[in-house]
Amino acid sequence: MSVIAEHAPDVKITIVDINAARIEAWKSDNLPIYEPGLKDVVEKVRGKNLFFSTDVEGAIREADIVFVAVNTPTKTFGQGAGMASDLQYWEKTARNILAVSDRSKIIVEKSTLPVRTAEAMASILNSNDKGIHFEILSNPEFLAEGTAIRDLEEPDRVLIGSAQTPEGLAACREVVDLYARWVPREKILTTNLWSSELTKLTSNAFLAQRISSINSISALCEKTGADVSEVAKVMGQDQRIGPHFLKASVGFGGSCFRKDVLNLAYLCEHYGLHEVACYWKSVVDMNEWQEKRFVLRMLENMFNTIASKRIAVFGFAFKADTGDTRESPAYYVVKELLAERAHPVITDPKAIPEAKKDLADVLDQVEFTEDPYEAAKGAHAIALCTEWKDFKALNWKKIYEGMEKPAFVFDGRNLLDAGKLKRLGFQVFQIGK
Ligand code: UGA
């Protein structure tokens, strides 16, 4: 919304949330999330045409277009628990929009939703006797955390799905015109509603599938002496395969991949496509196996016991350049280390506050420090879980000197120069090597 506000100074955008603390943070100097470049954009437009408020009803009443970006987590109860999307926040929002509106509006689905959600929303919103009409559009977001501003400023594509009726197409044109202020027209793609909803799920599923595919090959590389980075590099030169998203790792994390792939599998089951569901579910299974394998490899190489050993966990965010820790492989690693009665010490440049919240139930068994040298001091091993560039630039000689010997590095992101570390005396293990 900040980026839209930046490019459309004549459009007034009000961001509302029921969480007052969050809204206050958005109004302050300390934004509630870390995202490179975001603060500059917010500061440029805040108070001009971008406003933050807790007056949800007032903002809905005033708006011509409502973007709904409430969360759609994996359902934790009842039918579809652990796989389906929990749509209760979306439905409550739809009912709220209906209750307070006194004129027709365009409602834009920004949240990631199961295919055909718009149908349910349309029937809730248009079941009114106020004589007003709501046109529902789907405009899924493709930005990735850590590169969000760049992804929004120069998107590969913007997708807008609408009903193929005159009203649906007219609403679609309004939102196309909004993006067209800075996105070249040929990159703004329009489809029917269901294609748009499904494209978001399948885009994430394909990305996650690439990581699980290369991670599965990483296991084979470790057995055979092939090097997964070399394999991926050469494969990626084939234009049909492409070089991106082929980095073997300790596993993928983040709030989207696991949730969306499981949701896709659930939808397939719902439509009786059991084999298709199994195919996609295996992407998540492979990810869990990869995380497990990482800790097992640590254990095996550290003489099958890590009990009471200090282990420095380098990085807790699910990827570099974010403070977000949702579904982070580091969380799984720490939990497994604790199950082995090791003593994890977590270091991360941005994610310590979130890590403390995630590990609230085991705070007495874990240490946190922003200083990686302190984390590694007296440690038997380093488990590198996040590819923060800062880690690469550390003085590894100094780190080696402070550690117990033999000093192990398990590089879950293939970030470090293994040759250099080995020359310093480290025992180095990388993914797929
Ligand atoms: C992902 C998609 O990339 C976005 O296009 C999408 O809009 C977003 O989900 C969403 O649905 O909101 P995000 O979760 O922010 O974005 O992060 P990614 O860059 O996709 O990374 C996901 C995980 O995969 C991270 O843990 C990352 O470290 C890992 N990864 C990524 C690998 O292990 N190997 C790779 O080659 C690439």
Side-chain angles (χ1 to χ4, degrees):
M1 287 302 127
S2 308
V3 172
I4 295 180
E6 188 190 13
H7 292 285
D10 53 316
V11 176
K12 181 183 172 196
I13 298 177
T14 309
I15 297 179
V16 289
D17 200 298
I18 52 173
N19 183 336
R22 211 139 237 267
I23 289 295
E24 275 317 303
W26 280 110
K27 289 180 179 170
S28 76
D29 276 345
N30 277 328
L31 301 188
I33 56 168
Y34 171 70
E35 184 62 47
L38 175 63
K39 198 159 182 246
D40 292 344
V41 182
V42 171
E43 282 173 354
K44 215 154 121 191
V45 288
R46 194 170 52 187
K48 293 199 178 95
N49 62 331
L50 180 74
F51 302 90
F52 294 92
S53 163
T54 48
D55 179 13
V56 180
E57 280 78 16
I60 293 173
R61 210 169 290 125
E62 203 180 58
D64 301 304
I65 305 178
V66 182
F67 286 82
V68 183
V70 296
N71 56 335
T72 51
T74 302
K75 230 180 139 186
T76 54
F77 54 88
Q79 191 70 24
M83 288 191 88
S85 276
D86 185 348
L87 296 178
Q88 60 171 313
Y89 307 108
W90 229 105
E91 184 173 332
K92 275 183 195 143
T93 307
R95 290 185 190 278
N96 202 10
I97 292 172
L98 176 58
V100 303
S101 297
D102 47 21
R103 61 191 168 87
S104 299
K105 294 180 195 301
I106 297 173
I107 310 299
V108 185
E109 297 177 341
K110 202 72 184 143
S111 315
T112 302
L113 294 161
V115 59
R116 293 202 82 88
T117 302
E119 192 173 39
M121 296 310 151
S123 65
I124 291 172
L125 285 164
N126 289 324
S127 66
N128 71 75
D129 47 19
K130 298 180 177 184
I132 58 178
H133 175 74
F134 296 92
E135 196 57 45
I136 306 202
L137 302 181
S138 159
N139 170 219
E141 186 49 64
F142 295 111
L143 69 83
E145 290 179 33
T147 53
I149 297 298
R150 194 191 64 205
D151 295 344
L152 287 163
E153 294 284 1
E154 291 169 41
D156 286 347
R157 80 295 205 198
V158 166
L159 173 59
I160 303 164
S162 70
Q164 302 297 296
T165 57
E167 298 79 17
L169 294 169
C172 182
R173 274 194 297 277
E174 279 197 47
V175 177
V176 168
D177 288 344
L178 198 54
Y179 282 103
R181 291 162 186 255
W182 81 99
V183 180
R185 289 263 171 181
E186 66 276 12
K187 290 196 171 178
I188 307 177
L189 309 177
T190 57
T191 64
N192 80 33
L193 267 169
W194 323 127
S195 303
S196 173
E197 288 177 337
L198 186 59
T199 301
K200 170 66 200 197
L201 282 184
T202 43
S203 292
N204 275 357
F206 267 63
L207 291 170
Q209 171 268 320
R210 278 175 72 95
I211 303 169
S212 276
S213 294
I214 198 70
N215 281 348
S216 76
I217 299 304
S218 76
L220 187 58
C221 288
E222 286 163 28
K223 298 275 184 211
T224 56
D227 177 330
V228 78
S229 303
E230 291 181 346
V231 174
K233 189 173 173 200
V234 181
M235 263 179 18
Q237 292 274 19
D238 183 329
Q239 284 195 11
R240 294 166 302 173
I241 297 174
H244 304 293
F245 259 71
L246 275 183
K247 266 206 205 97
S249 67
V250 51
F252 60 72
S255 65
C256 307
F257 282 178
R258 183 185 163 83
K259 166 175 85 73
D260 293 350
V261 175
L262 289 176
N263 184 214
L264 181 66
Y266 182 75
L267 278 167
C268 294
E269 287 289 4
H270 171 81
Y271 288 108
L273 302 169
H274 178 66
E275 285 73 7
V276 187
C278 289
Y279 176 77
W280 287 107
K281 173 76 173 30
S282 71
V283 169
V284 170
D285 295 342
M286 180 55 59
N287 198 50
E288 288 174 1
W289 185 69
Q290 185 77 351
E291 290 174 339
K292 197 177 191 143
R293 231 166 55 75
F294 182 75
V295 182
L296 277 179
R297 203 172 177 211
M298 288 181 75
L299 193 60
E300 278 165 20
N301 286 287
M302 293 176 72
F303 322 110
N304 288 311
T305 174
I306 50 173
S308 76
K309 287 181 183 168
R310 184 180 170 96
I311 313 265
V313 178
F314 275 31
F316 200 83
F318 82 94
K319 62 189 263 190
D321 294 322
T322 178
D324 194 341
T325 61
R326 286 175 292 175
E327 300 290 344
S328 178
Y331 174 81
Y332 175 85
V333 169
V334 168
K335 282 288 175 134
E336 285 298 299
L337 293 177
L338 288 174
E340 290 292 335
R341 308 218 172 143
H343 182 64
V345 186
I346 296 165
T347 184
D348 190 291
K350 295 285 175 200
I352 300 267
E354 285 305 307
K356 283 186 180 165
K357 283 189 221 157
D358 296 344
L359 296 165
D361 56 332
V362 288
L363 279 185
D364 53 332
Q365 299 160 52
V366 194
E367 267 179 63
F368 301 90
T369 170
E370 275 182 16
D371 180 356
Y373 297 100
E374 196 185 311
K377 205 162 183 196
H380 288 257
I382 292 169
L384 191 150
C385 295
T386 314
E387 70 280 25
W388 286 103
K389 285 213 175 62
D390 313 16
F391 294 149
K392 209 176 155 90
L394 294 172
N395 179 346
W396 282 90
K397 188 164 182 287
K398 184 173 160 196
I399 290 188
Y400 180 76
E401 283 160 5
M403 287 177 68
E404 292 289 328
K405 310 293 175 325
F408 292 92
V409 172
F410 297 90
D411 180 359
R413 295 289 184 171
N414 294 356
L415 176 78
L416 306 170
D417 179 342
K420 183 178 139 196
L421 294 191
K422 281 180 189 162
R423 284 193 293 280
L424 288 171
F426 283 103
Q427 306 249 5
V428 184
F429 295 87
Q430 293 189 300
I431 306 288
K433 293 175 191 229

